[in-house]
C-alpha cells in the first residue's frame, strides 16, 4: 500500500499534464490507486492533479457518476487545465450538451493550440449541430498539427461529401490511403463518394479491395450490390445482396435492395417476398416507399385488393403522396371501381397540378367511363407536361381511334413506338388502330411485330429469371 501511495504522489506531481496509461493494470490495482489518491486528497484537498487522476481511475472503472464529480472539482481548482477541460467537453458532447461542450473545447484549444484532441471533438460536436463547414475547419486545424492522421483525413472527406466538395473529399481519401493503405474505412468512404458522383465502376473497385481484406463485411456487399445494379449487372447485384443476407439475415437494407433489383427485372413475386421481409425487419417509422413498391408488385401480380392496402399505408403516413393516390386509383380501376378510381386521380392532381402521370392515368379512367372528351383533354395535358412519355401518346392514340380520328390516332401511335420501340403492347395498339382505319396490310404488319416483340420480351424475362434465381434456399429465409 505504501508503494501505491508513493505512486499516487509521483502521478500527481510528475506526470500531471499527461494521460496516465492503464494498460495491463488490473481492476484491483486501479482501485488501490484510487485509495492512494484518496489519501493524497485528504492531505492536499486543493490538489487538482489528484482529483484529475482519480477521475481517470474511476472512469476506467466505469463509475462515471463519481468520476465526473472529480473532474468538476479538478477544473474548479485549476480552470486552466486544458486536459481536464477537454475531458469535460467530451463528457458534455456524449450527453448531448453541445453548447457547453463547445465552451470547454474552445477554451482547451486556446490554452494549448497544438493539442489535437479538442479540434477533433469540436468537429464531431459541429456535425451534431449540422454545421459541417465548421466541422471541416476544426479538422483542418487538427490535420495541420497531425498531417499523417489518416482517420482525421477520412472523417474530413466524409464531411466534404455532405457539402458536395467532391474533389476535396477525393483528395482526402486518396491521401489517407497513401498514408495507410490497409485502412478500410478510407476505401469504404471513397466508394460512397464515387457512388455519389455516379462512378459506379470506381465504387465497385474500392469495395472489392475492402472485401479482399474482410470477406464478412455485410455493408460492403450491400453497397456493391447497389452499384452493380446501377451498371445493370443484375446477376452480380443479387449475388451480393444475397451474400449480405447470408451473413446477416436481419439486415433489412439488403432485402430492400434485392427487392428493388427483382422489381426492375419484373420478378414481382420474388420481389414481393423481399419487400415483405424488409417491412417485417423495419420499425414503424420505416420509409413508406417500401409499401409503395409492395403495392406496385401486388398490382403486377393482379392482387389489386392487396395493393390498395399497401397504398393505404403510404397515404396514412404521407397524406400528400401523389404516387400512392394514382396507383391506388389504378388498383381500383383494375377492379372496375371507376368512380372511386377517378376520385383518387383527382386528388393526386389536386396535390400536384403538373403531375403528368396523374393526367395520363385519369385519362384511362375517363375512357372507361366513356368520357372521351375529358379523357382526351387529360391526355393532351399529360403530353404537354411530359412529351417523352410513350404511354401518353399510346393512350391518346386509343382515344382518338375511338373518336374516329384515324389520322391523329396513327400519328400518336407512331410517335409512341418511336419513343419506346421495345414496348410490345404498343404494336398491338397500332395493329388495332390501323385495322379500324381500314389499312389491313399495315395492321397485319404491326400485329406480327407485336407477336415477335412479345416473344422476345418474354424470352428475355425468362432468361433473366432463370439466370438470376441464384439462391435456391432464399425462400427458407422468410
Amino acid at each position: 500500500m505504501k508503494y501505491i501511495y508513493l505512486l499516487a504522489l509521483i502521478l500527481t506531481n510528475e506526470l500531471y499534464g499527461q494521460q496516465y496509461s492503464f494498460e495491463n493494470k488490473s481492476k484491483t490495482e486501479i482501485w488501490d490507486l484510487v485509495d492512494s489518491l484518496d489519501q493524497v486528497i485528504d492531505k492536499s484537498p486543493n490538489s487538482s492533479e489528484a482529483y484529475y487522476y482519480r477521475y481517470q481511475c474511476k472512469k476506467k472503472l466505469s463509475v462515471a457518476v463519481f468520476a465526473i464529480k472529480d473532474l468538476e472539482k479538478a477544473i474548479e481548482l485549476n480552470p486552466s487545465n486544458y486536459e481536464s477541460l477537454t475531458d469535460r467537453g467530451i463528457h458534455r458532447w456524449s450527453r448531448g450538451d453541445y453548447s457547453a461542450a463547445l465552451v470547454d473545447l474552445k477554451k482547451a484549444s486556446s490554452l494549448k493550440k497544438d493539442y489535437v484532441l479538442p479540434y477533433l471533438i469540436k468537429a464531431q460536436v459541429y456535425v451534431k449541430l449540422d454545421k459541417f463547414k465548421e466541422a471541416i475547419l476544426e479538422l483542418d486545424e487538427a490535420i495541420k498539427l497531425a498531417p499523417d492522421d489518416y482517420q482525421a483525413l477520412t472523417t474530413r472527406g466524409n464531411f466534404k461529401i455532405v457539402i458536395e466538395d467532391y474533389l476535396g473529399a477525393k483528395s482526402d481519401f486518396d491521401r489517407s490511403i497513401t498514408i495507410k493503405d490497409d485502412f478500410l474505412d478510407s476505401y469504404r468512404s471513397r466508394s460512397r463518394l464515387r457512388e455519389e458522383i455516379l462512378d459506379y465502376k470506381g465504387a465497385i473497385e474500392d469495395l472489392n479491395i475492402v472485401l479482399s481484406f474482410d470477406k464478412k463485411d455485410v455493408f460492403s456487399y450491400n453497397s456493391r450490390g447497389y452499384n452493380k445494379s446501377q451498371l445493370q449487372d443484375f446477376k452480380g447485384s443479387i449475388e451480393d445482396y444475397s451474400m449480405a443476407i447470408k451473413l446477416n439475415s436481419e439486415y433489412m437494407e439488403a432485402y430492400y435492395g434485392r427487392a428493388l433489383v427483382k422489381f426492375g427485372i419484373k420478378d414481382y413475386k420474388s420481389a414481393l417476398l423481399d419487400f415483405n421481409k424488409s417491412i417485417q425487419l423495419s420499425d414503424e417509422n420505416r420509409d413508406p416507399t417500401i409499401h409503395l413498391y409492395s403495392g406496385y408488385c401486388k398490382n403486377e401480380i393482379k392482387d389489386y385488393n392487396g395493393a390498395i392496402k399497401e397504398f393505404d399505408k403510404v397515404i396514412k403516413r404521407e397524406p400528400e403522396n401523389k404516387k400512392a393516390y394514382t396507383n391506388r386509383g389504378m388498383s381500383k380501376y383494375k377492379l372496375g371501381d371507376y368512380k372511386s378510381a377517378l376520385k383518387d386521380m383527382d386528388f393526386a392532381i389536386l396535390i400536384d397540378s403538373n403531375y403528368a402521370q396523374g393526367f395520363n392515368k385519369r385519362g384511362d379512367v375517363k375512357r372507361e367511363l366513356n368520357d372521351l372528351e375529358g379523357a382526351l383533354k387529360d391526355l393532351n395535358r399529360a403530353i404537354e407536361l411530359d412529351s417523352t412519355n410513350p404511354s401518353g401518346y399510346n393512350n391518346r392514340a386509343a382515344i382518338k381511334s375511338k373518336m374516329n380520328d384515324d389520322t391523329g390516332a396513327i400519328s400518336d401511335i407512331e410517335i409512341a413506338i418511336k419513343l419506346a420501340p421495345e414496348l410490345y403492347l404498343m404494336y398491338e395498339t397500332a395493329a388495332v388502330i390501323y385495322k379500324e382505319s381500314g389499312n389491313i396490310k399495315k395492321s397485319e404488319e404491326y400485329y406480327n411485330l407485336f407477336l415477335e416483340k412479345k416473344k422476345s420480351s418474354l424470352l428475355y424475362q425468362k432468361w433473366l429469371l432463370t439466370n438470376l434465381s441464384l439462391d435456391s434456399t432464399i425462400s427458407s429465409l422468410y
Side-chain angles (χ1 to χ4, degrees):
M1 191 61 171
K2 183 178 179 182
Y3 166 75
I4 297 295
Y5 174 62
L6 291 173
L7 176 59
L9 290 176
I10 292 169
L11 281 171
T12 55
N13 288 290
E14 295 186 10
L15 298 182
Y16 187 51
Q18 301 177 35
Q19 290 285 344
Y20 178 65
S21 173
F22 292 100
E23 191 176 351
N24 299 323
K25 296 290 188 296
S26 67
K27 281 194 172 183
T28 300
E29 289 176 302
I30 298 171
W31 274 117
D32 285 344
L33 186 53
V34 169
D35 290 338
S36 294
L37 286 164
D38 289 345
Q39 295 180 48
V40 173
I41 289 168
D42 286 341
K43 292 180 178 295
S44 305
N46 293 324
S47 172
S48 64
E49 297 92 336
Y51 280 105
Y52 180 63
Y53 281 107
R54 191 168 70 176
Y55 149 74
Q56 287 192 53
C57 292
K58 289 178 178 177
K59 185 175 73 167
K60 183 67 178 178
L61 293 165
S62 300
V63 283
V65 175
F66 300 104
I68 199 63
K69 288 181 179 178
D70 279 344
L71 181 60
E72 295 283 5
K73 187 66 178 179
I75 293 171
E76 177 189 327
L77 293 169
N78 182 6
S80 297
N81 178 2
Y82 64 90
E83 278 197 311
S84 299
L85 288 165
T86 301
D87 283 350
R88 190 171 69 178
I90 293 171
H91 173 73
R92 288 174 165 175
W93 163 56
S94 69
R95 294 176 64 86
D97 188 357
Y98 304 129
S99 297
L102 283 174
V103 170
D104 281 341
L105 295 164
K106 286 178 179 179
K107 187 173 180 182
S109 293
S110 68
L111 288 167
K112 190 166 178 62
K113 298 185 187 300
D114 61 349
Y115 186 41
V116 174
L117 187 57
Y119 296 108
L120 297 174
I121 305 302
K122 274 188 284 180
Q124 298 300 327
V125 175
Y126 279 124
V127 165
K128 290 291 185 181
L129 296 170
D130 288 326
K131 295 182 176 181
F132 287 90
K133 289 183 179 179
E134 289 84 346
I136 289 168
L137 289 174
E138 296 298 336
L139 288 171
D140 289 345
E141 295 301 317
I143 291 166
K144 282 180 190 175
L145 294 169
D148 290 338
D149 188 340
Y150 54 89
Q151 291 176 307
L153 284 163
T154 299
T155 301
R156 188 173 69 178
N158 283 322
F159 295 166
K160 286 179 179 179
I161 292 176
V162 175
I163 67 167
E164 299 182 2
D165 176 10
Y166 300 130
L167 287 175
K170 184 177 184 302
S171 175
D172 280 345
F173 298 140
D174 290 348
R175 186 171 154 195
S176 174
I177 290 167
T178 299
I179 294 166
K180 190 169 177 62
D181 63 5
D182 61 350
F183 184 56
L184 300 185
D185 279 351
S186 295
Y187 294 101
R188 292 186 185 100
S189 295
R190 192 170 67 181
S191 76
R192 187 165 70 91
L193 164 67
R194 287 174 160 171
E195 180 182 308
E196 190 79 16
I197 61 174
L198 311 185
D199 177 14
Y200 302 119
K201 185 177 179 182
I204 290 169
E205 288 172 358
D206 277 335
L207 292 165
N208 287 344
I209 293 170
V210 174
L211 290 168
S212 71
F213 282 95
D214 183 359
K215 290 180 170 51
K216 294 186 177 181
D217 185 346
V218 174
F219 170 82
S220 292
Y221 279 113
N222 188 71
S223 296
R224 193 172 69 176
Y226 171 77
N227 283 283
K228 286 181 178 179
S229 73
Q230 298 306 297
L231 293 174
Q232 298 189 34
D233 176 9
F234 302 126
K235 180 177 180 180
S237 176
I238 290 178
E239 282 178 340
D240 277 344
Y241 283 129
S242 298
M243 179 58 75
I245 290 167
K246 183 177 180 181
L247 291 169
N248 181 358
S249 62
E250 302 295 301
Y251 193 50
M252 185 274 287
E253 290 80 358
Y255 289 102
Y256 188 41
R258 191 173 67 179
L260 290 172
V261 175
K262 291 176 177 179
F263 178 83
I265 63 169
K266 301 184 179 181
D267 184 4
Y268 300 118
K269 289 183 179 179
S270 185
L272 188 56
L273 290 174
D274 277 342
F275 282 127
N276 288 341
K277 187 67 175 179
S278 301
I279 291 167
Q280 178 188 328
L281 291 172
S282 56
D283 59 29
E284 291 182 357
N285 296 319
R286 60 182 163 266
D287 183 350
T289 305
I290 299 179
H291 291 291
L292 198 63
Y293 274 102
S294 182
Y296 294 159
C297 285
K298 288 181 178 180
N299 263 347
E300 293 292 344
I301 63 174
K302 300 183 180 180
D303 177 11
Y304 302 122
N305 286 310
I308 288 170
K309 289 178 182 178
E310 295 297 333
F311 298 132
D312 285 344
K313 290 173 185 176
V314 178
I315 290 167
K316 185 177 180 181
R317 287 280 307 281
E318 295 182 349
E320 295 193 357
N321 190 313
K322 61 189 180 186
K323 291 182 179 180
Y325 282 103
T326 303
N327 284 281
R328 188 175 70 176
M330 288 308 296
S331 300
K332 293 174 180 178
Y333 165 84
K334 292 291 186 179
L335 290 169
D337 185 3
Y338 302 129
K339 289 185 178 179
S340 184
L342 187 61
K343 286 180 181 179
D344 275 346
M345 302 301 182
D346 288 342
F347 203 82
I349 292 168
L350 184 64
I351 292 168
D352 182 358
S353 60
N354 292 316
Y355 183 37
Q357 191 70 344
F359 285 102
N360 192 1
K361 296 302 182 184
R362 192 171 71 174
D364 281 344
V365 177
K366 287 182 177 179
R367 181 186 63 199
E368 293 299 329
L369 291 168
N370 208 33
D371 178 10
L372 299 184
E373 290 290 345
L376 182 60
K377 184 178 178 181
D378 276 346
L379 290 163
N380 287 340
R381 179 61 176 154
I383 291 168
E384 180 186 329
L385 291 167
D386 183 4
S387 61
T388 63
N389 185 352
S391 175
Y393 291 101
N394 181 78
N395 294 344
R396 192 171 69 177
I399 296 293
K400 287 181 177 179
S401 180
K402 271 196 167 189
M403 297 175 77
N404 299 317
D405 178 6
D406 294 335
T407 302
I410 290 169
S411 174
D412 275 347
I413 197 61
E414 292 290 357
I415 293 171
I417 290 171
K418 186 176 181 180
L419 286 169
E422 73 283 359
L423 298 180
Y424 65 85
L425 286 174
M426 292 192 299
Y427 293 89
E428 184 180 34
T429 304
V432 172
I433 288 171
Y434 275 107
K435 184 178 180 180
E436 292 291 330
S437 72
N439 191 337
I440 303 302
K441 183 179 179 181
K442 199 75 172 174
S443 175
E444 289 177 350
E445 179 185 326
Y446 271 106
Y447 188 71
N448 288 331
L449 282 169
F450 160 67
L451 294 176
E452 180 186 324
K453 295 278 184 181
K454 182 180 180 181
K455 183 179 179 181
S456 297
S457 178
L458 293 176
L459 285 172
Y460 177 62
Q461 288 303 317
K462 185 178 180 181
W463 180 87
L464 281 176
L465 298 180
T466 301
N467 285 275
L468 297 180
S469 296
L470 303 167
D471 189 348
S472 60
T473 65
I474 290 300
S475 59
S476 67
L477 295 171
Y478 300 96

